[in-house]
Amino acid sequence: MTTNEFRPDASATLRFPAGFRWGTATAAYQIEGAAQEDGRGPSIWDTFSRTPGKVLHGDTGDTAADHYHRMPEDVALLRELGVSDYRFSVAWPRVQPDGRGPASQKGLDFYRRLVDELLDAGIRPVATLYHWDLPQQLETGLPGDSADAAGGGWPRRDTAERFADYTRYVAEALGDRVATWITLNEPWCAAFLGYAAGIHAPGRTDPAAALRAAHHLNLAHGRSVQALRAALPASAEISLTLNLFALRPARDSGADREAVRCVDAVANRLFLDPVFHGRLPEDLVRDTAEVTDWSYVHDGDLEAIATPIDSLGVNYYTPLVVAAGAHTSPSSSRPRSPWPGAAGDVRLPPAPGPRTAMDWPVDAGGLYELLTRLRDELPHTPLLITENGAAYHDYADPEGRVHDPERIAYLHQHLAAVHRAIADGADVRGYFVWSLLDNFEWAYGYSKRFGIVHVDYASQRRTLKDSARWYAAVVARNGVEA
Ligand code: IFM
């Protein structure tokens, strides 16, 4: 059935199209633990989380949810939920401990076991190649590395080529059994939170480096797509996950609309335009003229970045209200603007409404706006919601139950928004809850619980929250209550 034939039924259930993919999502550093096992090398997040003051309570991913040792138990949970798909990420430093050189068989074996376990459970594996755990040595550099004023990591062009090599190793190892591949997760975060705002690894605060990083992440995506196409059967689905922003002007004024344009350029179009149209947003190049000259965009880069993909992954949590004015952020932990080029002219006033434990406003309308924008701008690109979910202060009651009605309400509202977008013509093929398990929430450490499965970190006991049972029922009937 194509989306155009899709008609919501008139019953009390908002039913999704036949074959809709229901999943949950996780990421390697957030759940695996075993940070020093089986030859895994250090990543920039190992280093960053060990740097005093960077992660709340000094938490690290050393143990996380111990998924590396409990993988079969976690796949059994997925089976219990009845999901059709599971999105996980491969840790680059498990496969190439230094980010270059031969692949580690032990590292690849872990993912092979995971994929086999999933396939045995009848669950489709969706592999993300990069969810922020850059091998530390690529950030630090080696004595023999070519001199590069931008330093190491993503501002360095060579990192994109290293990513293509890594892609080849993973594709060779898993290509016969993984049908859906996502090159990068949220390159905006990797570039701008990591290299401009300094609140994610590697913690740099250099707007020019962040723009270079963004270009090289785009290039890494393009090179990775080319490597995947060469290694995988023609039936493979190749995708990219972006955390696109649903932007709203604070007031209906020209100045606020201009502020939205600035943020849209760096947050959304810096990725969408190269990947889908093979060009940089001209207004962004203008806006950032005092920060960078874009000379690191070489001939042929944009063509490589625009190598066609089969679907787009969209991560959505909350909309962003944007106003003209000096930069302030609702988060006092954000020492620098993550919006180079627009830095002096943008404010993010707090949006109204109920909030999650992340202090993010709950507003499913933003997801609908985003999906219908993509329907209009990328009419031939199928969409997957590769992350959506909420953190709340969950705990197990004396009977061992975890009641999380706010999360159920959040998921319900967002699924209704997805349903409405599909009814209005958006080609959304699947939805992945973030996250299967409570996990390491980056700079917030273990203080934020996004899982539909509660993890008691002391015992590593898993408990299905009410939302997990609710989600299993949604999956079983392929729909939510109207
Ligand atoms: O936990 C993260 C995930 O790693 C990337 N997307 C947003 C989630 C919630 O902050």
Side-chain angles (χ1 to χ4, degrees):
M1 178 161 82
T2 70
T3 356
N4 291 341
E5 295 160 28
F6 171 64
R7 298 275 176 279
D9 65 24
S11 70
T13 300
L14 301 176
R15 223 169 280 285
F16 284 74
F20 194 77
R21 295 162 70 170
W22 295 101
T24 68
T26 61
Y29 191 70
Q30 294 181 271
I31 63 164
E32 283 180 4
Q36 277 134 36
E37 253 178 80
D38 289 340
R40 178 187 177 277
S43 77
I44 54 174
W45 269 97
D46 293 279
T47 308
F48 188 73
S49 61
R50 283 182 167 67
T51 309
K54 296 299 185 190
V55 173
L56 199 64
H57 308 310
D59 290 344
T60 72
D62 281 2
T63 307
D66 198 29
H67 170 73
Y68 193 75
H69 299 117
R70 292 163 196 268
M71 179 272 285
E73 183 190 343
D74 292 338
V75 174
L77 289 171
L78 291 165
R79 194 199 280 259
E80 199 175 334
L81 294 174
V83 292
S84 59
D85 289 59
Y86 172 59
R87 174 178 178 236
F88 63 95
S89 82
V90 177
W92 187 349
R94 270 195 207 291
V95 174
Q96 286 180 297
D98 298 331
R100 52 186 128 199
S104 149
Q105 197 53 47
K106 281 190 174 163
L108 290 170
D109 284 349
F110 170 69
Y111 296 104
R112 195 140 172 132
R113 286 198 303 278
L114 166 62
V115 165
D116 285 348
E117 194 84 19
L118 289 166
L119 293 173
D120 284 351
I123 297 167
R124 195 184 289 136
V126 175
T128 300
L129 287 164
Y130 185 71
H131 199 125
W132 307 351
D133 40 7
L134 184 74
Q136 177 61 44
Q137 205 174 86
L138 293 182
E139 177 67 28
T140 314
L142 287 175
D145 283 347
S146 62
D148 189 329
W154 287 110
R156 188 165 188 269
R157 185 177 177 87
D158 186 58
T159 303
E161 304 306 331
R162 300 287 66 75
F163 187 66
D165 289 347
Y166 155 69
T167 298
R168 277 181 212 104
Y169 285 126
V170 183
E172 270 163 32
L174 306 180
D176 58 341
R177 47 196 79 190
V178 173
T180 303
W181 294 77
I182 296 172
T183 55
L184 307 178
N185 180 72
E186 302 184 353
W188 179 85
C189 294
F192 294 102
L193 299 183
Y195 292 89
I199 58 171
H200 275 194
R204 285 160 65 177
T205 51
D206 175 353
L211 289 160
R212 287 178 76 111
H215 175 64
H216 294 143
L217 280 152
N218 279 339
L219 184 61
H221 158 77
R223 294 266 187 266
S224 177
V225 175
Q226 292 170 336
L228 290 170
R229 288 271 179 243
L232 300 177
S235 57
E237 176 188 14
I238 301 178
S239 192
L240 162 72
T241 282
L242 300 176
N243 57 313
L244 295 171
F245 290 78
L247 302 169
R248 297 182 182 152
R251 290 153 305 176
D252 189 19
S253 72
D256 286 1
R257 279 195 297 276
E258 169 62 6
V260 166
R261 180 200 62 71
C262 286
V263 172
D264 186 51
V266 72
N268 294 329
R269 288 183 284 112
L270 172 54
F271 302 97
L272 290 172
D273 283 10
V275 169
F276 291 99
H277 307 296
R279 60 170 190 244
L280 283 170
E282 276 173 27
D283 56 337
L284 177 68
V285 174
R286 255 194 336 267
D287 290 348
T288 53
E290 287 179 15
V291 184
T292 187
D293 61 7
W294 295 91
S295 55
Y296 41 86
V297 180
H298 294 184
D299 284 352
D301 284 4
L302 289 163
E303 288 77 2
I305 295 167
T307 306
I309 54 177
D310 304 303
S311 58
L312 175 65
V314 177
N315 291 355
Y316 173 85
Y317 291 88
T318 190
L320 208 58
V321 176
V322 179
H327 173 77
T328 54
S329 159
S331 158
S332 56
S333 64
R334 189 169 284 177
R336 297 284 200 290
S337 168
W339 319 109
D345 305 306
V346 167
R347 252 174 352 104
L348 304 176
R355 285 157 184 277
T356 69
M358 295 295 281
D359 206 26
W360 294 346
V362 177
D363 188 335
L367 180 54
Y368 176 83
E369 289 159 27
L370 209 50
L371 295 175
T372 47
R373 171 181 176 175
L374 293 168
R375 170 202 64 195
D376 297 341
E377 293 184 4
L378 302 174
H380 307 298
T381 305
L383 306 172
L384 292 169
I385 314 292
T386 39
E387 286 181 26
N388 176 238
Y392 288 106
H393 299 294
D394 308 315
Y395 56 90
D397 73 8
E399 281 78 50
R401 304 282 302 221
V402 183
H403 302 299
D404 57 344
E406 294 159 302
R407 181 174 292 101
I408 292 175
Y410 178 100
L411 296 175
H412 192 173
Q413 288 163 26
H414 285 75
L415 282 168
V418 175
H419 188 274
R420 185 155 72 94
I422 295 174
D424 290 346
D427 187 4
V428 185
R429 305 282 178 96
Y431 175 93
F432 294 71
V433 175
W434 184 268
S435 181
L436 172 65
L437 301 170
D438 289 336
N439 60 51
F440 177 83
E441 176 54 27
W442 308 112
Y444 296 92
Y446 297 99
S447 67
K448 307 292 181 200
R449 293 182 175 273
F450 271 93
I452 57 173
V453 175
H454 182 269
V455 176
D456 175 80
Y457 292 113
S459 64
Q460 291 294 347
R461 194 177 53 245
R462 275 80 163 128
T463 305
L464 295 191
K465 299 179 190 178
D466 288 353
S467 58
R469 298 178 200 285
W470 176 86
Y471 190 57
V474 168
V475 173
R477 70 173 158 168
N478 194 34
V480 288
E481 278 162 43

